[in-house]
Amino acid sequence: YLGAHLSVGFFSFPYFSEFDIFLPHRDNITVFIERGTVPPPTNACNIIFQRRRSFTLIIKPGERAIFSFDCPDPAKHYVLEVQKSIDCMAGPCPFGEVQLQPSRLPALNRTFIWNVKASPKVGLELKFSSPRLRQIRPGDTCPDLVTYSISGSIEKTAANIGTFCSNGTISQIKMQGGVKLALHLPWNQNRNFSGFNITNRSSIKRLCIIESVFEKEGSATLMSANYPEGFPEDELMSWQFVIPPYLRASVSFLNYTLSNCERKEERVEYYIPGSLTNPEVFQLGDKQPANMAGNFNLSLQGCDQDSQNPGALRLLFQVLVQHPQNEGNKVYTIDLRSEKSMSLTIEPKPLRTNRHFVPACLICEGPTTCSPNLTLTSGNKYEISFLCDDMTRLWVHAEKTISCADSGYCSRKSYQLLVASDIIQLPVQLRDYTWKLLVPKDKFSLQLTPAQKLQQHTHEKNCETTFSYLLASAVPGQNLYFGSFCPGGSIEKIQVKTNISVVLKTFLPGFSREAFRQGMTVTFIHSLKDEGVFTVTPDSKAKVYLRSPNWDRGLPPLTSVSWNISVPNNQVAHLTFSKERMGVSCETGRAFMIIQEQKAKAEEIVSRDDEPLPKPRDLHHNFWVNISNCSPMNGKQLDLQFCVSLTPKKMDMTVIILAAVGGGATLLFALGLLICYAKKSKKKKVGKGPAVGIYNGNINTQMPEKTGKFHKGRKDNDSHVYAVIDDTMVYGHLLNVSNGSFTGPEVDVYRPFQGPMGDIPPSPPPICSRISTRKLHPEDPLPFFLPESDGEPYTFSHPKSVEVKGNGDNDIPLLEKKELEDIME
Ligand SMILES: *[C@@H]1O[C@H](CO)[C@@H](O)[C@H](O)[C@H]1NC(C)=O
Ligand SMILES: *[C@@H]1O[C@H](CO)[C@@H](O)[C@H](O)[C@H]1NC(C)=O
Ligand SMILES: *[C@@H]1O[C@H](CO)[C@@H](O)[C@H](O)[C@H]1NC(C)=O
Ligand SMILES: *[C@@H]1O[C@H](CO)[C@@H](O)[C@H](O)[C@H]1NC(C)=O
Ligand SMILES: *[C@@H]1O[C@H](CO)[C@@H](O)[C@H](O)[C@H]1NC(C)=O
Ligand SMILES: *[C@@H]1O[C@H](CO)[C@@H](O)[C@H](O)[C@H]1NC(C)=O
Ligand SMILES: *[C@@H]1O[C@H](CO)[C@@H](O)[C@H](O)[C@H]1NC(C)=O
Ligand SMILES: *[C@@H]1O[C@H](CO)[C@@H](O)[C@H](O)[C@H]1NC(C)=O
Ligand SMILES: *[C@@H]1O[C@H](CO)[C@@H](O)[C@H](O)[C@H]1NC(C)=O
């Protein structure tokens, strides 16, 4: 609809271009040609239109104009403005790519103005695909002199959003209820595209949203609306930032002033990935967040100003995007292709909630997907990296299920419980690794053989390794915790009757250095009668402390546990119990503790729940310590702890006599020994009184003597046992019944104990050994008789039962809370 002809000698002004502009009615475009702001020499140049000279030309919608200039350089004198109104109130909006119309305009400085009228409820989105925009401060110019000016309106007042060059990061500007966009082009720019499109959106509920997309390192300077004038009263403006993974963003406020607020508070709010306290609220005077990973947004909220003295809220800020400053982009490979039924999660440690800003800490899978937590599953191989300023804010935990589904197959198979090196190499603390070992009920039991013999964690002998194994039943409803075990002890083998979870838990940093001490072999064995059997082969020097499962809250009802303790040929074992009694009060049945040497015709030393435990004694052969619980009354539970120490066997009598020949002094010494020996042998070994009752774990219920005194004797039938356990289940409410999902290990030690407790502390034990005269070094194990207290010189918190009289709504189990506190200090 228009044309510019090169006309020669049409007027008396040869060689100058003639322009033909036609503006169809429907385009709603008006063109203004007028003299520029720089005052030119008078009469230097005129517009020739309809054979008349003039200084202005206005072409309205539906009109056509053929004109020219009477000078060779009209760009020095004239500017051109194209105004187009788009009225979305009257009819549907012509959305989409915005055309730069009309084309073939004279080469003057020109401004295209689009004035979009829309309902105040409609959001309008201006999208600048390429080039993107860069906001400039008022008065600054763009290198190519191509400038966008954008303003909106609040009711009838205009609000200036900003001036932009076409070289930056701003990809979108969303406005509410109408927008005016002006594109200024210098006379020598022959650009023929507008560079943006418009679409309608639902309400954005604020003045505007400016989105910046960073593709590489860079910075953006941004301003509040109307800058350097005051931000509109009680308004809200937001900026969104898209930041590539591997880069970090920092915000700094270069300049701001506050208005005088009558009500509400001026502030900025951030949404930051990885923050647990979004939105993060800052005052303008605060130090703003830095080193943020991931996309974030920021909003400026004004207030109701004092009408007498409003002041001005204004903000000029910079977002700087750069590579992380203090951490390499190391990529870790985790290969889980040969694993089965296994998952691994890296996640933030729970933090005590506070309103302080915490920079993001993200885990990235591959080059682009970053999130605050990441779960990896078996069968896949992963490349992961971290965007995190402080790796101690993360931890990793893993779970694996090993089940024996085909009994013929698994009876021949063994499994290794090992934390793979791919996991050990991660720069993140291993919180725990849980193996769930599942066997068909009553068909198989499990045998765990540690790579290094284990020590049970007790107060007398703490585990001082960086990690421990926590063993607990994985049968829903069975609240049985076998204990915490670490390498470096005497326990050679642990057999458990049925499904358990083995949790390798780290307590100190440095697991990677000690990881060579981990490892357990699992095999499937014929079904056991006892809930657990511990095979203990003590070393000659160390004292071995052992305690019954569920220490401090009692062995579950009708449960039996055995210890097979071996005594080398040339040694004598000294067995000491930590208390005088078992501590249990039975409601039904009887509880027993039986000691029996593993030799022909060995006597059984039996203690019943109502009898004292045996005095310290020496044993010359491998022996059993078996315990079997009744259904206890609330409050008085069965806790048994004992200590085994080895000493060299006294010399044989013939040897003594032979030796006596050697010399008088030796003879005297030997005689002394002999007397001592004889005296000891005379001591009666059997506990007083005949033992009566049922050893709950054995199929051939042992009823030593006086059978029939207790008519509550029951057949040893497991279904019966479980039924009783269900009825008397004391801790069942604490169990996390997760139906086999991976929601967390069913290790009840993590949870605060809320059940009934014995009212008397364990009574002081008799001597276990020849210690105790020497002064205690702070690092020495505590003596046997110290009751538990918070003042214990623990350097790390191993599981222990803590009585909590709360409502049990704690989200973070107590132990973990305590650990956290330790970590945070
Ligand atoms: C055209 O724009 C340039 C650069 O902004 C300016 O120097 C010049 O004065 C303008 N011309 C007129 C006639 O205003
Ligand atoms: C783009 O902007 C930067 C400043 O942000 C400037 O240094 C650079 O020269 C600009 N490039 C062009 C082509 O205008
Ligand atoms: C702009 O000009 C280029 C060539 O200079 C042409 O290919 C393109 O189609 C034009 N675009 C419009 C919207 O006219
Ligand atoms: C945009 O406008 C069209 C037509 O006017 C309408 O059908 C559509 O619902 C609008 N979209 C939004 C998000 O308002
Ligand atoms: C900011 O980010 C949060 C979280 O992604 C989102 O819910 C919110 O709508 C965003 N706000 C703006 C203005 O972009
Ligand atoms: C992991 O993050 C996702 C969102 O990124 C969240 O929905 C999920 O609850 C998180 N899981 C954990 C265990 O924190
Ligand atoms: C142990 O787990 C297996 C597999 O989930 C299940 O079949 C079996 O009944 C469980 N054993 C007990 C005692 O609950
Ligand atoms: C008890 O332990 C000893 C020594 O380890 C071993 O030889 C024996 O077989 C064990 N007995 C049982 C019944 O497991
Ligand atoms: C002790 O328990 C073991 C293992 O269950 C068993 O073989 C042994 O016979 C028991 N001894 C006594 C005296 O009950």
Side-chain angles (χ1 to χ4, degrees):
Y1 21 76
L2 54 98
H5 311 276
L6 191 67
S7 67
V8 180
F10 185 75
F11 289 124
S12 50
F13 311 104
Y15 310 120
F16 299 142
S17 305
E18 187 177 76
F19 302 94
D20 182 349
I21 296 178
F22 170 59
L23 302 174
H25 215 286
R26 59 167 192 275
D27 284 350
N28 225 346
I29 292 175
T30 308
V31 173
F32 300 82
I33 301 173
E34 51 203 8
R35 294 172 80 140
T37 44
V38 186
T42 44
N43 292 341
C45 189
N46 296 285
I47 306 168
I48 314 292
F49 174 58
Q50 292 177 343
R51 294 173 174 265
R52 275 200 293 265
R53 294 187 163 91
S54 68
F55 291 143
T56 56
L57 175 62
I58 300 176
I59 312 166
K60 297 201 173 112
E63 290 179 356
R64 175 175 194 168
I66 300 172
F67 63 94
S68 63
F69 298 94
D70 66 355
C71 63
D73 48 3
K76 285 190 177 153
H77 307 269
Y78 288 91
V79 295
L80 185 146
E81 189 172 294
V82 179
Q83 290 188 2
K84 179 174 168 85
S85 10
I86 301 174
D87 191 349
C88 299
M89 313 278 270
C93 275
F95 290 128
E97 195 66 47
V98 174
Q99 306 293 320
L100 207 54
Q101 286 175 342
S103 54
R104 299 213 224 165
L105 293 171
L108 305 177
N109 289 352
R110 52 204 185 280
T111 305
F112 294 84
I113 296 174
W114 293 269
N115 209 337
V116 186
K117 290 201 192 83
S119 146
K121 289 181 217 127
V122 172
L124 294 172
E125 180 183 287
L126 310 178
K127 195 178 259 170
F128 303 87
S129 38
S130 101
R132 293 187 181 135
L133 305 190
R134 174 169 60 92
Q135 188 168 14
I136 53 170
R137 299 182 205 207
D140 282 0
T141 52
C142 301
D144 59 0
L145 302 173
V146 175
T147 312
Y148 292 87
S149 304
I150 298 172
S151 56
S153 55
I154 303 163
E155 281 148 19
K156 296 233 164 79
T157 339
N160 172 27
I161 302 304
T163 307
F164 306 85
C165 300
S166 48
N167 154 14
T169 57
I170 296 167
S171 62
Q172 273 182 24
I173 298 181
K174 290 180 198 151
M175 313 275 297
Q176 181 89 8
V179 60
K180 185 172 163 191
L181 188 148
L183 169 63
H184 308 275
L185 297 173
W187 66 273
N188 53 356
Q189 254 283 348
N190 49 16
R191 167 169 165 158
N192 63 357
F193 59 94
S194 72
F196 70 98
N197 66 37
I198 305 183
T199 41
N200 58 336
R201 294 274 176 242
S202 51
S203 168
I204 58 165
K205 300 196 168 70
R206 66 202 71 203
L207 177 60
C208 81
I209 302 174
I210 297 182
E211 183 187 274
S212 278
V213 177
F214 285 85
E215 276 162 357
K216 51 184 183 356
E217 286 186 294
S219 71
T221 303
L222 295 156
M223 280 146 259
S224 55
N226 287 346
Y227 191 88
E229 306 302 320
F231 188 64
E233 183 173 0
D234 194 21
E235 269 296 338
L236 175 63
M237 178 171 179
S238 299
W239 292 264
Q240 296 176 326
F241 299 92
V242 176
I243 311 290
Y246 304 120
L247 294 182
R248 304 304 183 75
S250 303
V251 176
S252 43
F253 286 2
L254 304 179
N255 191 13
Y256 71 89
T257 57
L258 298 173
S259 60
N260 299 311
C261 294
E262 211 164 60
R263 283 188 299 143
K264 302 184 193 164
E265 207 180 11
E266 291 158 336
R267 61 184 190 274
V268 282
E269 290 187 3
Y270 291 84
Y271 278 88
I272 299 168
S275 164
L276 301 167
T277 48
N278 275 328
E280 299 284 351
V281 180
F282 285 69
Q283 302 305 309
L284 276 76
D286 291 344
K287 191 171 187 308
Q288 303 299 314
N291 208 30
M292 287 177 284
N295 303 342
F296 71 100
N297 64 36
L298 151 61
S299 297
L300 173 69
Q301 173 72 66
C303 65
D304 284 345
Q305 294 164 347
D306 178 352
S307 51
Q308 301 301 310
N309 179 18
L313 168 65
R314 43 192 200 141
L315 172 64
L316 170 75
F317 67 98
Q318 190 187 50
V319 176
L320 183 66
V321 175
Q322 56 187 355
H323 281 290
Q325 294 304 292
N326 45 15
E327 152 202 336
N329 291 341
K330 191 157 188 236
V331 176
Y332 298 87
T333 304
I334 301 186
D335 190 349
L336 305 180
R337 285 176 301 184
S338 56
E339 295 278 2
K340 265 190 203 149
S341 309
M342 188 250 181
S343 77
L344 180 138
T345 301
I346 306 170
E347 63 178 16
K349 293 174 188 171
L351 286 177
R352 279 188 283 214
T353 45
N354 53 25
R355 300 297 306 173
H356 289 261
F357 167 68
V358 187
C361 182
L362 301 182
I363 308 121
C364 305
E365 186 202 330
T368 51
T369 322
C370 300
S371 59
N373 65 42
L374 181 64
T375 297
L376 314 179
T377 50
S378 50
N380 304 303
K381 186 178 176 181
Y382 298 90
E383 307 262 280
I384 66 164
S385 58
F386 297 91
L387 282 179
C388 186
D389 61 329
D390 178 5
M391 299 299 263
T392 64
R393 287 170 53 200
L394 296 173
W395 60 15
V396 56
H397 56 99
E399 290 184 331
K400 178 169 175 164
T401 303
I402 296 175
S403 53
C404 166
D406 173 357
S407 21
Y409 175 70
C410 59
S411 61
R412 296 188 304 272
K413 196 140 168 54
S414 69
Y415 292 90
Q416 292 297 323
L417 309 189
L418 270 179
V419 181
S421 56
D422 279 2
I423 301 172
I424 296 169
Q425 55 137 11
L426 290 176
V428 177
Q429 184 203 335
L430 175 68
R431 187 189 82 188
D432 52 46
Y433 197 128
T434 301
W435 289 273
K436 284 200 179 177
L437 309 178
L438 306 178
V439 288
K441 198 172 169 180
D442 298 329
K443 283 217 182 87
F444 282 103
S445 287
L446 292 151
Q447 173 167 297
L448 307 173
T449 314
Q452 290 195 0
K453 287 200 284 179
L454 299 178
Q455 175 205 325
Q456 185 164 23
H457 177 81
T458 59
H459 295 315
E460 291 67 36
K461 200 158 181 209
N462 288 187
C463 273
E464 272 152 14
T465 45
T466 55
F467 70 97
S468 285
Y469 289 104
L470 316 187
L471 263 59
S473 167
V475 176
Q478 190 186 30
N479 197 315
L480 180 59
Y481 170 59
F482 288 99
S484 167
F485 303 89
C486 58
S490 302
I491 302 170
E492 195 170 270
K493 217 153 67 181
I494 299 173
Q495 297 174 329
V496 291
K497 184 187 178 94
T498 186
N499 302 350
I500 59 160
S501 64
V502 176
V503 182
L504 184 152
K505 197 168 169 58
T506 63
F507 291 94
L508 291 169
F511 172 63
S512 58
R513 287 191 303 278
E514 229 179 8
F516 70 94
R517 303 184 71 180
Q518 63 155 338
M520 268 206 213
T521 308
V522 182
T523 48
F524 300 94
I525 54 171
H526 62 86
S527 189
L528 292 177
K529 289 296 158 205
D530 287 331
E531 246 5 281
V533 178
F534 296 83
T535 302
V536 184
T537 54
D539 288 332
S540 45
K541 284 177 215 98
K543 288 187 283 284
V544 181
Y545 293 88
L546 296 161
R547 52 165 63 157
S548 56
N550 281 13
W551 172 254
D552 266 4
R553 50 191 156 128
L555 192 67
L558 307 174
T559 299
S560 59
V561 183
S562 307
W563 288 266
N564 173 9
I565 300 166
S566 63
V567 182
N569 271 337
N570 54 345
Q571 306 270 311
V572 182
H574 188 74
L575 172 67
T576 315
F577 291 91
S578 69
K579 303 186 291 188
E580 269 159 19
R581 290 177 177 271
M582 266 184 258
V584 64
S585 294
C586 292
E587 198 164 70
T588 49
R590 295 258 80 140
F592 289 96
M593 196 284 306
I594 305 176
I595 304 169
Q596 189 179 38
E597 284 188 298
Q598 295 172 14
K599 61 173 183 189
K601 292 188 194 149
E603 64 187 324
E604 285 176 11
I605 301 156
V606 182
S607 297
R608 224 169 55 171
D609 54 281
D610 55 353
E611 294 166 349
L613 287 167
K615 293 267 172 289
R617 64 181 53 247
D618 287 335
L619 295 140
H620 295 80
H621 298 92
N622 295 356
F623 62 99
W624 286 103
V625 176
N626 297 1
I627 56 171
S628 164
N629 201 6
C630 56
S631 277
M633 296 199 283
N634 276 355
K636 301 256 192 161
Q637 301 295 324
L638 198 167
D639 293 319
L640 198 73
Q641 178 167 311
F642 56 93
C643 166
V644 179
S645 57
L646 294 181
T647 46
K649 215 175 235 173
K650 310 270 166 6
M651 272 179 283
D652 200 276
M653 249 207 290
T654 48
V655 179
I656 292 168
I657 289 161
L658 281 175
V661 184
T666 323
L667 176 66
L668 282 175
F669 175 69
L671 278 175
L673 276 184
L674 183 62
I675 291 160
C676 185
Y677 182 74
K679 270 191 171 175
K680 276 209 161 170
S681 314
K682 269 190 186 167
K683 275 194 176 171
K684 207 162 181 278
K685 268 190 178 171
V686 188
K688 55 173 176 154
V692 183
I694 310 153
Y695 179 55
N696 295 318
N698 280 337
I699 195 144
N700 295 321
T701 310
Q702 296 194 6
M703 294 199 173
E705 286 122 84
K706 293 191 192 165
T707 346
K709 183 167 176 187
F710 293 100
H711 295 289
K712 280 194 171 156
R714 52 182 178 78
K715 290 200 189 78
D716 189 38
N717 161 326
D718 280 349
S719 61
H720 178 182
V721 171
Y722 287 117
V724 176
I725 289 173
D726 281 342
D727 288 342
T728 56
M729 200 173 69
V730 180
Y731 312 110
H733 63 290
L734 294 172
L735 279 177
N736 170 16
V737 183
S738 56
N739 289 332
S741 69
F742 279 106
T743 51
E746 291 160 16
V747 181
D748 49 22
V749 69
Y750 295 137
R751 295 170 192 289
F753 170 60
Q754 293 166 309
M757 301 269 292
D759 30 357
I760 29 170
S763 49
I767 9 87
C768 170
S769 58
R770 280 125 216 139
I771 51 149
S772 301
T773 43
R774 122 193 112 92
K775 260 192 181 169
L776 271 177
H777 185 271
E779 273 160 42
D780 278 348
L782 284 176
F784 214 40
F785 43 80
L786 275 190
E788 270 186 58
S789 78
D790 282 349
E792 285 163 354
Y794 278 21
T795 49
F796 55 95
S797 45
H798 261 53
K800 56 177 179 172
S801 300
V802 182
E803 187 177 16
V804 172
K805 292 199 176 80
N807 58 8
D809 281 340
N810 295 325
D811 283 347
I812 308 172
L814 199 69
L815 175 70
E816 297 189 345
K817 264 189 195 163
K818 191 168 187 306
E819 275 171 21
L820 271 175
E821 282 159 23
D822 292 349
I823 288 159
M824 304 195 46
E825 281 151 24

